[in-house]
Amino acid sequence: MTHSAATLTNSSRLWSSIMRIAEIGAIEGNGSCRLSLTDEDKEARDLFRFWVTAAGCEVRVDNFGNIYAIRPGARDDLPAVLIGSHLDTQPHGGRFDGVLGVMAGLEIVRALNDAGIETEAPIAIVNWTNEEGVRFKPGLTGSCGFVGALPGGDESSISSSDGSRYYAELARIGYAGQDRPPQISTYFEMHIEQGPVLENAGATIGIVEGVQGVRWFEIDFLGQDAHAGTTPMNNRRDSFLAASRYALGFLERAMDIDPDVRVTFGRVEVEPNSTNTIPGRTRLVLDLRHIDEHVLDRVERLMADQGEPLKKLGFGFSINRIMNVRPASFNRDLKDAVEKVASSLSMPSLRLPSGAMHDASNLAAVVPSAMIFIPSRNGISHNPLEWSEPMHVGDGCEVLCRAVLEAAKA
Ligand code: HGY
Ligand code: MN
Ligand code: MN
Ligand code: MN
């Protein structure tokens, strides 16, 4: 089946679906805030479900709240080609992170309907639950559940930052499903790069080599609550000061192990969180990343070593690893196929690693998977300033569409 040089997909229809989703949970500065399983997430899920139903897809929801939209093929005995990403965002999220990939899947289904193209194998779109891991931990919850990577696979392995319960929230928003996910042969994820590499290189299409490993830890420091006014400075066990000293010392030592390691303390919890009480308990939530698991292991050992001096000073100290997504590499044949499609459409492409984590890391462990990036302006993401050019959005979707059509042949 050869396709005319004219595009199959409709870039303005794709653009308007992205902007329509972005309006849900809109925040100042053209950003979005749709934390997973909130009313805003529900609204986006409902709209996605409405659109894919209108496009003739069968909708299934599994027990992690992942939504699958399945477009039948000529042979439904064949496993589906799956296209996915996520609709949840960071608290100060942009309009494209995750949304681009789910809406690109929808646009491909719509385009194939318009063109009257029947694929051999079914094509499915997925919206993964809680990719961002803001409200519930670990991140990538839905795709971890899909590949059996959640320890226990039940609520005991999903913690929340606001006291809510994952499965109760799924039920509350009407997405506590029990459907069996579709069998899949291949996974594609289109995503903004969230970094500056493609823009600096003047490339439109990023062919992602792989994703660095990501580990999350809850590091707890226990001191003693005490009065801010009556307690002399030399008679305190201030858990926040202990945590601050620890964080700075750990960061320097980790960079000595490997300057490419990524260490982020993005979340700090202090108890009792009162201006005039010395905090007795502080929790640092650490996001640690690197492409090499041996480096991650060495840094993890350092994490424990750095806590020993605090114990000698009388502080409680504990580490709980709450997420471990292994480094992923993508399928060589699929990368070559994407590169071939991009050059057939005379789009400049570049191979690069992904600094950001993605559901595709989990999928790559179970099926041949590939990721396509498009440029992010100034490399900014997880910020309302996140922006990608409409032309790049359209080009990326057209490349994805043709790569998916290749993969959906029997
Ligand atoms: O954290 C990440 O890398 C992804 O953007 N959620
Ligand atoms: Mn994302
Ligand atoms: Mn993100
Ligand atoms: Mn992703």
Side-chain angles (χ1 to χ4, degrees):
M1 179 186 349
T2 53
H3 297 290
S4 68
T7 57
L8 284 165
T9 53
N10 178 327
S11 58
S12 46
R13 179 171 58 186
L14 169 58
W15 185 263
S16 45
S17 64
I18 293 169
M19 292 304 135
R20 175 66 191 83
I21 293 281
E23 283 167 12
I24 302 171
I27 57 172
E28 203 178 318
N30 282 329
S32 305
C33 176
R34 285 188 306 281
L35 302 189
S36 45
L37 309 189
T38 57
D39 293 343
E40 294 76 18
D41 187 23
K42 171 179 172 50
E43 194 182 334
R45 285 164 166 262
D46 291 350
L47 182 54
F48 171 63
R49 182 164 57 180
F50 172 75
W51 280 339
V52 293
T53 307
C57 294
E58 175 207 349
V59 177
R60 293 188 200 169
V61 180
D62 72 11
N63 60 332
F64 290 96
N66 299 314
I67 307 173
Y68 307 90
I70 303 153
R71 179 182 193 260
R75 289 194 38 204
D76 289 337
D77 58 312
L78 292 175
V81 175
L82 185 64
I83 309 166
S85 200
H86 60 94
L87 295 176
D88 67 308
T89 71
Q90 286 286 323
H92 296 168
R95 287 173 279 184
F96 301 90
D97 179 355
V99 179
L100 173 70
V102 180
M103 291 301 108
L106 170 64
E107 176 48 38
I108 288 169
V109 165
R110 286 170 165 169
L112 297 183
N113 290 348
D114 294 348
I117 294 175
E118 182 182 47
T119 53
E120 284 287 302
I123 286 178
I125 317 164
V126 61
N127 166 42
W128 297 115
T129 302
N130 195 46
E131 188 276 351
E132 295 289 359
V134 178
R135 194 174 171 216
F136 299 97
K137 294 194 276 296
L140 308 184
T141 311
S143 57
C144 280
F146 177 83
V147 299
L150 266 189
D154 57 22
E155 198 154 12
S156 60
S157 51
I158 305 173
S159 66
S160 93
S161 51
D162 60 6
S164 52
R165 314 241 344 242
Y166 186 84
Y167 289 110
E169 284 296 279
L170 272 181
R172 185 183 68 82
I173 66 167
Y175 284 91
Q178 290 299 326
D179 298 335
R180 187 179 36 80
Q183 291 293 320
I184 62 171
S185 62
T186 323
Y187 178 73
F188 287 94
E189 181 162 351
M190 178 169 151
H191 206 284
I192 52 173
E193 179 203 330
Q194 301 179 293
V197 174
L198 291 177
E199 184 180 57
N200 293 344
T204 302
I205 302 295
I207 297 153
V208 186
E209 297 280 19
V211 187
Q212 55 185 344
V214 191
R215 296 183 187 176
W216 284 4
F217 304 85
E218 290 170 341
I219 309 175
D220 287 340
F221 303 79
L222 298 179
Q224 185 180 49
D225 287 6
H227 195 294
T230 57
T231 314
M233 292 310 285
N234 61 4
N235 189 22
R236 295 178 174 210
R237 280 191 293 125
D238 182 330
S239 64
F240 176 71
L241 288 185
S244 312
R245 271 203 206 106
Y246 174 91
L248 288 172
F250 169 73
L251 184 67
E252 275 155 34
R253 296 277 309 277
M255 301 298 283
D256 291 342
I257 290 177
D258 187 307
D260 282 339
V261 76
R262 305 275 159 93
V263 174
T264 310
F265 294 101
R267 184 178 180 85
V268 181
E269 295 164 14
V270 179
E271 281 181 15
N273 209 17
S274 157
T275 309
N276 47 358
T277 296
I278 299 165
R281 178 186 165 280
T282 296
R283 169 171 287 178
L284 299 181
V285 186
L286 166 62
D287 177 313
L288 172 67
R289 305 193 192 198
H290 197 276
I291 195 69
D292 179 344
E293 279 192 303
H294 301 300
V295 171
L296 291 172
D297 291 342
R298 286 179 58 197
V299 176
E300 192 165 339
R301 284 194 291 275
L302 169 73
M303 214 178 286
D305 299 346
Q306 289 288 100
E308 290 311 312
L310 291 172
K311 289 181 184 170
K312 293 195 180 84
L313 291 172
F315 286 97
F317 175 80
S318 65
I319 299 173
N320 175 27
R321 189 168 80 178
I322 55 173
M323 182 170 154
N324 178 18
V325 178
R326 305 191 60 191
S329 43
F330 293 128
N331 179 274
R332 194 191 46 220
D333 296 343
L334 291 180
K335 288 189 287 188
D336 293 348
V338 170
E339 195 165 58
K340 207 164 128 234
V341 170
S343 76
S344 72
L345 295 171
S346 339
M347 293 175 190
S349 67
L350 180 74
R351 294 192 180 218
L352 75 167
S354 171
M357 76 179 178
H358 294 289
D359 296 299
S361 296
N362 281 322
L363 275 289
V366 295
V367 288
S369 299
M371 281 200 86
I372 297 175
F373 277 170
I374 62 167
S376 293
R377 185 176 61 188
N378 303 326
I380 290 180
S381 180
H382 284 191
N383 181 315
L385 292 174
E386 188 179 275
W387 176 260
S388 287
E389 294 303 328
M391 188 185 70
H392 292 157
V393 166
D395 287 351
C397 187
E398 186 63 19
V399 170
L400 177 64
C401 181
R402 291 167 186 248
V404 163
L405 280 174
E406 267 310 295
K409 281 182 189 153

